[in-house]
Amino acid sequence: MEIGKLKTDLLEKYIFNKLVSNREEVIMGGGTGLDNAVMDFGGDLIVASTDPITGATKNLGSLAINISVNDVSCQCADPVGILMTLLIPPSASLDDLKEIVDDATRTAGELNVDIVGGHTEVTDAVNKIVISTTVIGRVNKKRRPDLKTVKAGDVLAVSKYLGIEGTSIIAHEKDEIKSFLSEEEYELAISLSRDLSVLKESKLAGKYGVKHMHDITEGGLFGAVWETSKALGHGIKIFADAIPLLDVTKKICDFYKINPMKLISSGSMLMVFDGEKFNDFKEEAEASGIKVTKVGVVNNEDQAVVKYEDREIILQDPDPDELYKVV
């Protein structure tokens, strides 16, 4: 099988089609373009998500906390607790473990979430440290986005810049980038590891009636747009010239001959808004220091499309992330 997330048709055949709903408390389970499970125990809704870190060897603790918190942020949920599993090869050291735990606890503190348990094991089943985190959050029923309200004409927007996670990982993993980046560009690329949370924009988006959100992870923007189209049951058109990219990301992607639109992009949230409410959200977000960009619109077609000046390309089920070509 190919490295990376399992293709959607295989997920549906071997996993999603096997899942049966046995509990009335479960109101949403896994699915294409859906980042969480949602459960109703009475009162606030419980939102849960799980994710591993497999494509990086640096900043593992911070990455592990941020990616799980980002997932529950898609439901405007407040993260409460995290379970963290560490699988450690015999070649690792206690210093490696200490660095990861220190990094994770610092990030959890910044996001006001508790690490409440997990599992730590040394095993020869892995050849590098693998971390998997499961986060549990809560959200008021009235505040949770309702994708059923999405309609043609709604705005598709992204926060911050695309490819910042991939840029950060490559900068930490590949010393050779110092040969073609200036010192200022290199420091910027390294610093992007501090911009991987989407919790702030998620909380603000809930205030303005966001209809759907999707954390842009493996497969990058193109993968996230395709998955979102599937989840919504609507077509989407995005405009290539509107997509926000840092120059340092472009430079790194050009060097490695990878597509930044298919590069892992935690730190950027894909959001669907009513057009009028989007303008109000954008104004407050940018006043708070969060860049927000309209990149496309929802339509009544049955496919996701990216529009270039001279052509349109129909997006497909994403291939393995571009990051795997580099690290």
Side-chain angles (χ1 to χ4, degrees), residues 226-242:
W226 183 87
E227 290 175 350
T228 296
S229 177
K230 291 294 182 183
L232 299 180
H234 281 275
I236 293 174
K237 180 178 287 189
I238 60 172
F239 303 96
D241 60 358

Side-chain angles (χ1 to χ4, degrees), residues 34 37-38 51 77 100 106 127 131 139 144 155 175 200 224 229 241 256 262 268 270 280 286 300 304 309 315 317:
L34 304 175
V38 182
D51 252 318
I100 289 169
R106 175 186 54 78
N127 56 25
I131 304 179
V139 63
R144 178 187 169 221
V155 168
D175 286 339
K200 289 181 180 179
S229 177
D241 60 358
Y256 288 108
K262 298 180 180 180
S268 183
L270 187 65
D280 294 335
E286 296 194 338
N300 284 325
E309 285 187 3
L315 299 179
D317 191 357

Side-chain angles (χ1 to χ4, degrees), residues 82-291:
I82 286 180
L83 299 167
M84 185 165 66
T85 295
L86 289 92
L87 301 179
I88 305 169
S91 59
S93 69
L94 288 173
D95 285 340
D96 294 329
L97 176 61
K98 180 181 183 302
E99 180 180 346
I100 289 169
V101 175
D102 287 348
D103 193 25
T105 53
R106 175 186 54 78
T107 304
E110 292 171 354
L111 298 176
N112 192 31
V113 60
D114 287 353
I115 299 174
V116 297
H119 178 77
T120 306
E121 177 181 339
V122 178
T123 173
D124 59 8
V126 297
N127 56 25
K128 64 180 180 180
I129 296 175
V130 174
I131 304 179
S132 180
T133 45
T134 298
V135 63
I136 300 168
R138 62 188 296 173
V139 63
N140 185 281
K141 295 178 182 180
K142 294 180 180 179
R143 188 174 174 83
R144 178 187 169 221
D146 184 0
L147 58 82
K148 294 179 182 178
T149 65
V150 173
K151 66 183 188 305
D154 283 345
V155 168
L156 199 75
V158 297
S159 62
K160 304 191 190 79
Y161 295 90
L162 277 303
I164 58 177
E165 181 185 9
T167 302
S168 169
I169 291 174
I170 293 170
H172 280 92
E173 300 284 338
K174 292 292 194 178
D175 286 339
E176 66 192 10
I177 69 168
K178 296 177 184 177
S179 67
F180 63 88
L181 295 184
S182 69
E183 184 176 346
E184 183 179 1
E185 289 171 330
Y186 175 72
E187 292 301 325
L188 173 59
I190 289 291
S191 73
L192 293 176
S193 61
R194 298 194 294 267
D195 294 327
L196 301 185
S197 174
V198 292
L199 186 58
K200 289 181 180 179
E201 51 260 51
S202 162
K203 288 183 175 181
L204 190 57
K207 177 180 174 181
Y208 289 96
V210 65
K211 297 182 177 185
H212 182 68
M213 290 189 284
H214 187 31
D215 184 27
I216 308 174
T217 53
E218 282 197 43
L221 178 64
F222 284 179
V225 168
W226 183 87
E227 290 175 350
T228 296
S229 177
K230 291 294 182 183
L232 299 180
H234 281 275
I236 293 174
K237 180 178 287 189
I238 60 172
F239 303 96
D241 60 358
I243 296 168
L245 278 173
L246 290 167
D247 287 340
V248 69
T249 298
K250 295 177 185 177
K251 204 165 183 178
I252 288 174
C253 290
D254 286 345
F255 179 82
Y256 288 108
K257 296 181 173 56
I258 58 176
N259 187 343
M261 297 298 95
K262 298 180 180 180
L263 181 63
I264 191 166
S265 294
S266 289
S268 183
M269 181 74 93
L270 187 65
M271 301 168 283
V272 180
F273 281 94
D274 173 83
E276 187 173 324
K277 290 184 177 180
F278 166 73
N279 292 330
D280 294 335
F281 164 71
K282 177 181 172 67
E283 182 177 348
E284 184 168 345
E286 296 194 338
S288 301
I290 303 170
K291 180 180 176 63

Side-chain angles (χ1 to χ4, degrees), residues 26-43:
V26 179
I27 61 177
M28 187 180 85
T32 301
L34 304 175
D35 294 307
N36 314 273
V38 182
M39 294 161 282
D40 187 352
F41 291 172

Side-chain angles (χ1 to χ4, degrees), residues 67-92:
I67 61 164
S68 281
V69 169
N70 285 352
D71 278 346
V72 298
S73 296
C74 294
Q75 295 291 328
C76 293
D78 185 27
V80 176
I82 286 180
L83 299 167
M84 185 165 66
T85 295
L86 289 92
L87 301 179
I88 305 169
S91 59

